[in-house]
Amino acid sequence: MKHHTTKHHLLLLILSLLLAIPMAAQRPHNGNVQARFFEAKASEMCSKLLLTPEQKEKFLPLYKAYDEEMRAVWTKYRVEKGCTNSMERTKMRLTRQAKLQELRLQYVDKFSNVLTAEQVEKLYKVENDIQQRAKQRKEHRKDGNTGGPHRNGQRSSTY
């Protein structure tokens, strides 16, 4: 009887480990995707803004803080998919837009301590372009659409 119980425990242990491995592998993946996305954005920013090595050293930690605060606002004011109240969804989206804009305004001065006025202006343009491309990819995957959301040269709204 003891031999049968040991086999049973061993089988349960193996099954537990087999179930735990995929779950553990999924957790860092999400963070890893965010980290890779940020690294790609930061690399594009440094390239397009033509940052000097000194600017890059000061800019990257500041841009990371900005990115983290922006993601926190998006998370806090996320419209839940199951929300059926149109008024609530509209208010939440508008509040999110206002909070994001407020954060962008706060960072203009912070970025201007590291970048030239022209670089700050370009930073927000590049940021918008990156967001638009990410939105296009997301819509493309969601819809299975090969034509993309911007046919006829139209840009989608950030609403």
Side-chain angles (χ1 to χ4, degrees):
M1 187 74 169
K2 188 175 184 175
H3 180 64
H4 181 17
T5 306
T6 305
K7 278 186 175 179
H8 187 257
H9 285 210
L10 184 60
L11 183 59
L12 282 174
L13 177 65
I14 291 170
L15 285 174
S16 307
L17 289 172
L18 289 174
L19 291 172
I21 290 170
M23 290 168 63
Q26 287 176 354
R27 274 188 218 122
H29 177 71
N30 207 13
N32 193 21
V33 168
Q34 282 183 343
R36 285 193 327 238
F37 184 63
F38 174 77
E39 290 300 321
K41 283 181 11 172
S43 176
E44 183 173 345
M45 281 293 175
C46 291
S47 172
K48 294 215 171 158
L49 298 178
L50 304 172
L51 299 183
T52 66
E54 295 82 20
Q55 283 179 311
K56 187 175 180 179
E57 185 179 326
K58 294 175 184 174
F59 172 75
L60 288 175
L62 184 59
Y63 186 61
K64 183 160 184 68
Y66 167 78
D67 186 69
E68 288 171 358
E69 287 188 54
M70 293 292 279
R71 277 190 289 118
V73 169
W74 270 96
T75 301
K76 184 175 181 178
Y77 296 98
R78 179 179 304 155
V79 177
E80 298 299 325
K81 290 182 182 183
C83 178
T84 57
N85 184 329
S86 296
M87 202 57 119
E88 186 179 322
R89 283 193 318 263
T90 300
K91 285 181 180 180
M92 192 66 106
R93 284 185 183 115
L94 292 173
T95 301
R96 180 183 62 217
Q97 286 177 348
K99 296 291 184 183
L100 290 170
Q101 195 63 15
E102 184 178 306
L103 192 57
R104 287 181 188 106
L105 284 169
Q106 289 173 8
Y107 269 86
V108 167
D109 291 332
K110 293 177 183 183
F111 286 133
S112 70
N113 290 327
V114 176
L115 307 173
T116 66
E118 292 78 17
Q119 286 172 318
V120 172
E121 181 180 32
K122 189 166 190 173
L123 177 144
Y124 287 106
K125 288 178 182 176
V126 172
E127 181 82 16
N128 187 53
D129 290 345
I130 291 169
Q131 288 174 358
Q132 292 299 323
R133 287 195 316 263
K135 187 175 181 177
Q136 283 178 336
R137 284 187 207 112
K138 183 178 178 181
E139 288 173 357
H140 178 75
R141 283 191 309 264
K142 185 173 78 174
D143 297 338
N145 184 355
T146 57
H150 301 303
R151 285 180 223 114
N152 302 327
Q154 295 174 347
R155 293 185 70 129
S156 67
S157 154
T158 55
Y159 179 69

